[in-house]
Amino acid sequence: MAREVEFRKATREDDGELRRILREYPSGGDVSLRIEKEPGYFEASEVEGDNDRVLVALDAETKRVVGVGAFYEKQSFVNGEAAWVGYLSNLRIEPAYRGGRVLVAGYKEAKKLYEEQRSQLYLTTIMDDNVIAKRALTSGREGLPAYRDLGIFNTLILGVRRNPWAEAPVGVRVRAAREEDVAAIVEFWNGEGRRRQFFPSYSAENLLSSAGLLRGLSPGDLHIALDDKGICGTAAIWDQTSFRQWVIDSYSRRAGLLRYPYNAYARATGRPTFPPAGTALDYRFLGLVCIRDDVAGVLEGLCRSAWAALAETSPGALVIAGFHRRDPLGRPFLALPNTLFRSRIYVVHWPDGEADFAALDDGIPYLEVGSL
């Protein structure tokens, strides 16, 4: 039987306990990942959205933090128009406190936070092999919000020792962005990005700031493709390792047994290997992927430039890319040697968000993989 809990908003004084919860209770699944936020939970969370509200669960007697769930918001394109969209993340609770009653009570408190925010629709992802979490959250149990399945989101891990990408098409040149490009880049995103459902509506301030939604990213980390019409594509190599760490926490029995033969196969074929449990990945996100008319050759040219730049300084680094299964820009990545994780995207809403969900068109969903 689950122990009694109570809930309140987190404060900066809870920072250490929030980081502990993330370290101790990873994602689950065959390959269990920890996303740590060291040295500061709230600073690392800036990339997930504005106006963050973090809910903590406390042991009713000891007042010790035993769980967390976070609400974030950011301006994103919904049906081609900028709107506030939420993101639910970092849902963790210690095993002794888990149970349907606690989950419902937590969402009752979460609804109060929801009512303070501007978003009717929230996005979240659950690893596709995390059957327990999917069953609990999508059960339709009274008191829980609706979880609407938007399909598979592929997260791919690739190495940079080999550069498999082709040169950009004739007439397209690729280079690192400069500060004077920022206004044109934002204009391009706001024009081309709106074709994707939930593409973030970034501003010049986001790209020029050392904090906020694009924390850790500078204009020089962004590669741009240009043709005779101007910018025709962007892609960034985003290093978040100074404030968010991806760690292989553990393997299921099945995955652990398969790791050694798979690693032998991976080395022979140029795929990333699975390191021992407890290993922090030396990773970069491939972010801000936006290509005019989804021209695959432009994306290849951008990736060739990005891979080459990263290999010069960190030849052992990994690149993490993410695309919805329906996104044609993801197909070239699936064709390369990679380690693939599948999660599901859900739109989460309470009853007053039903009309907003029903109004969504069938545009291809976009999630900024560096903001998950």
Side-chain angles (χ1 to χ4, degrees), residues 3-8 14 17 20-21 24-25 56-68 93-97:
R3 300 177 188 176
E4 292 295 322
V5 299
E6 57 189 43
F7 302 90
R8 64 166 170 79
D14 297 311
E17 283 295 282
R20 177 188 64 80
I21 290 286
E24 294 182 357
Y25 300 100
V56 290
L58 310 172
D59 181 283
E61 293 185 7
T62 67
K63 310 305 180 187
R64 184 174 66 88
V65 175
V66 297
V68 61
I93 192 160
E94 294 184 9
Y97 299 84

Side-chain angles (χ1 to χ4, degrees), residues 7-10 18 53-57 67-71 106 109-110 113:
F7 302 90
R8 64 166 170 79
K9 284 184 185 179
L18 295 174
R53 286 172 168 81
V54 179
L55 187 70
V56 290
V68 61
F71 286 66
E109 293 299 316
L113 298 185

Side-chain angles (χ1 to χ4, degrees), residues 260-272:
Y260 295 100
Y262 175 84
N263 281 350
Y265 164 76
R267 292 187 187 98
T269 58
R271 287 171 167 77

Side-chain angles (χ1 to χ4, degrees), residues 49-54 71-74 84 116-118:
D50 301 326
N51 196 25
D52 56 301
R53 286 172 168 81
V54 179
F71 286 66
Y72 303 98
E73 289 184 304
K74 61 184 174 186
W84 287 99
E116 296 177 7
Q117 301 205 150
R118 294 157 287 194

Side-chain angles (χ1 to χ4, degrees), residues 228-300:
D228 58 359
K229 296 179 181 177
I231 295 174
C232 59
T234 66
I237 292 292
W238 190 357
D239 184 359
Q240 297 185 4
T241 55
S242 65
F243 58 91
R244 289 211 310 173
Q245 300 80 34
W246 279 37
V247 181
I248 300 289
D249 183 79
S250 63
Y251 296 97
S252 68
R253 176 178 171 78
R254 179 182 67 172
L257 290 172
L258 292 174
R259 186 170 76 87
Y260 295 100
Y262 175 84
N263 281 350
Y265 164 76
R267 292 187 187 98
T269 58
R271 287 171 167 77
T273 58
F274 283 104
T279 302
L281 302 181
D282 179 16
Y283 75 93
R284 309 291 188 272
F285 287 115
L286 184 71
L288 305 165
V289 177
C290 187
I291 310 295
R292 187 201 302 150
D293 299 328
D294 299 337
V295 177
V298 171
L299 178 57
E300 290 231 9

Side-chain angles (χ1 to χ4, degrees), residues 165-205:
W165 301 104
E167 297 280 359
V170 174
V172 174
R173 58 190 178 92
V174 176
R175 62 168 172 82
R178 299 184 285 262
E179 283 196 14
E180 55 264 34
D181 299 314
V182 167
I185 290 167
V186 171
E187 182 180 3
F188 174 72
W189 287 338
N190 287 338
E192 190 66 27
R194 69 179 65 238
R195 295 194 301 113
R196 291 291 192 270
Q197 195 73 284
F198 312 124
F199 190 92
S201 178
Y202 293 116
S203 68
E205 182 181 359

